[in-house]
Amino acid sequence: GSPLSFRDRTGLLSQQVSGGVYFFLRLVSPRAARFALIFGGRETCHPDYVVRRSSYAYHVLEYVAEGAGHVRLDDHEAELTPGSIFAYRPETNCEIRTDPARPMLKYFLCLAGDDVPARLAHAGVAPGRVRVMAAHAEVRSRLEDMIREGRHHGRLTARWCASSRTR
């Protein structure tokens, strides 16, 4: 696939964040691959951060590293705390909001392909549900590795990022 243009990138990312660090591997049609990591990153939410969407181009996996907030995925609502991880499908009605007193620092991965929901469910993160991970340092370290490698666009970047998400 071709790389995301700056215009495409700004339409996919929230403007209610600071200190965002992103990587963009490729832009593919959601149906063009069985399972593909398209882009991801780390964001520090502004105190007024609210995202409301009824659809999105990709499946999304989000991980809260710091702060607190709230998420609604269709009819399922949950509080977000450090270690919260959740996923949602492109057609999910989604609202994510940070606690203004404790803005979130969160990571996200945007995925495409027909196999994404089953692979997420197999990993224990079924789309539409929230769970809390205990191994904060390990999860955060792996996500930071993916961001660092994804930003380099080397010959083996896509392969490395693909192997990271299956460990």
Side-chain angles (χ1 to χ4, degrees):
S2 61
L4 286 165
S5 72
F6 180 76
R7 184 174 173 201
D8 292 333
R9 293 175 190 186
T10 58
L12 294 170
L13 300 171
S14 172
Q15 303 303 302
Q16 299 175 357
V17 298
S18 59
V21 179
Y22 308 103
F23 67 91
F24 299 88
L25 296 180
R26 67 191 121 168
L27 176 62
V28 297
S29 165
R31 289 178 178 68
R34 293 180 58 135
F35 188 91
L37 175 59
I38 307 303
F39 70 98
R42 171 181 20 88
E43 300 175 320
T44 300
C45 300
H46 289 172
D48 63 347
Y49 178 90
V50 178
V51 169
R52 289 183 192 95
R53 54 174 75 114
S54 59
S55 65
Y56 193 65
Y58 302 105
H59 298 268
V60 183
L61 177 67
E62 304 227 18
Y63 175 76
V64 177
E66 298 175 15
H70 182 83
V71 66
R72 183 179 47 77
L73 304 170
D74 288 329
D75 296 327
H76 181 76
E77 295 188 38
E79 295 298 316
L80 298 173
T81 59
S84 294
I85 190 167
F86 60 97
Y88 50 96
R89 300 172 188 263
E91 66 275 7
T92 300
N93 285 308
C94 176
E95 179 178 304
I96 306 168
R97 110 180 16 251
T98 197
D99 177 340
R102 298 185 317 156
M104 293 184 291
L105 182 141
K106 64 185 190 66
Y107 294 83
F108 69 93
L109 301 174
C110 292
L111 308 160
D114 293 337
D115 290 353
V116 172
R119 296 214 22 205
L120 288 171
H122 181 75
V125 190
R129 295 291 178 252
V130 178
R131 65 180 287 202
V132 178
M133 304 288 289
H136 299 295
E138 292 87 350
V139 172
R140 195 167 180 175
S141 175
R142 180 56 74 185
L143 289 164
E144 285 293 334
D145 288 346
M146 291 178 77
I147 292 169
R148 183 186 65 251
E149 293 299 323
R151 290 173 60 91
H152 285 278
H153 292 283
R155 186 171 56 85
L156 300 175
T157 298
R159 185 179 302 167
W160 190 93
C161 288
S163 71
S164 292
R165 63 174 189 262
T166 59
R167 289 183 187 168

